[in-house]
Amino acid sequence: MKTGVELITIERQEQIEKHGFDISMDSRYVNDELIDAAMQYLGSDLIDCWPDSWDRKWYKTDGRINELKRAGALIAAEIDRLNNI
């Protein structure tokens, strides 16, 4: 069984390699879109803060662990974005 950190790392790599969401793309999100999406995954059905400019098809609710690893990967993307400003 993989640890949480390993699952988040794998998810972030998938975001980059499979979907093309690398640092150059992430650098465009200057209005907290990455954090809003992470919060949506953290809050699940309790809140609605999915970024308005993002297609809702990207929001997947397929189990709590998957939601949490996506939230972690989005937080990592925001940290990387801030480190590269």
Side-chain angles (χ1 to χ4, degrees):
M1 180 178 295
K2 293 187 177 10
T3 67
V5 170
E6 290 170 325
L7 291 172
I8 289 168
T9 301
I10 292 166
E11 177 65 25
R12 182 65 187 139
Q13 281 305 114
E14 183 177 309
Q15 289 173 351
I16 293 168
E17 294 170 4
K18 184 177 177 184
H19 302 294
F21 298 136
D22 59 12
I23 190 64
S24 65
M25 178 173 261
D26 294 340
S27 67
R28 300 182 315 179
Y29 301 125
V30 296
N31 295 311
D32 290 329
E33 293 94 338
L34 296 167
I35 293 304
D36 287 347
M39 288 175 29
Q40 181 69 55
Y41 280 116
L42 291 172
S44 195
D45 292 335
L46 301 175
I47 60 174
D48 185 13
C49 57
W50 190 253
D52 291 334
S53 61
W54 288 17
D55 193 327
R56 199 83 174 171
K57 75 177 182 181
W58 290 105
Y59 179 56
K60 298 176 181 79
T61 56
D62 56 351
R64 194 64 181 137
I65 290 175
N66 287 331
E67 292 171 347
L68 293 172
K69 72 180 183 180
R70 288 184 189 112
L74 287 160
I75 291 167
E78 176 68 0
I79 291 169
D80 291 345
R81 186 191 73 77
L82 292 171
N83 280 336
N84 284 292
I85 291 177

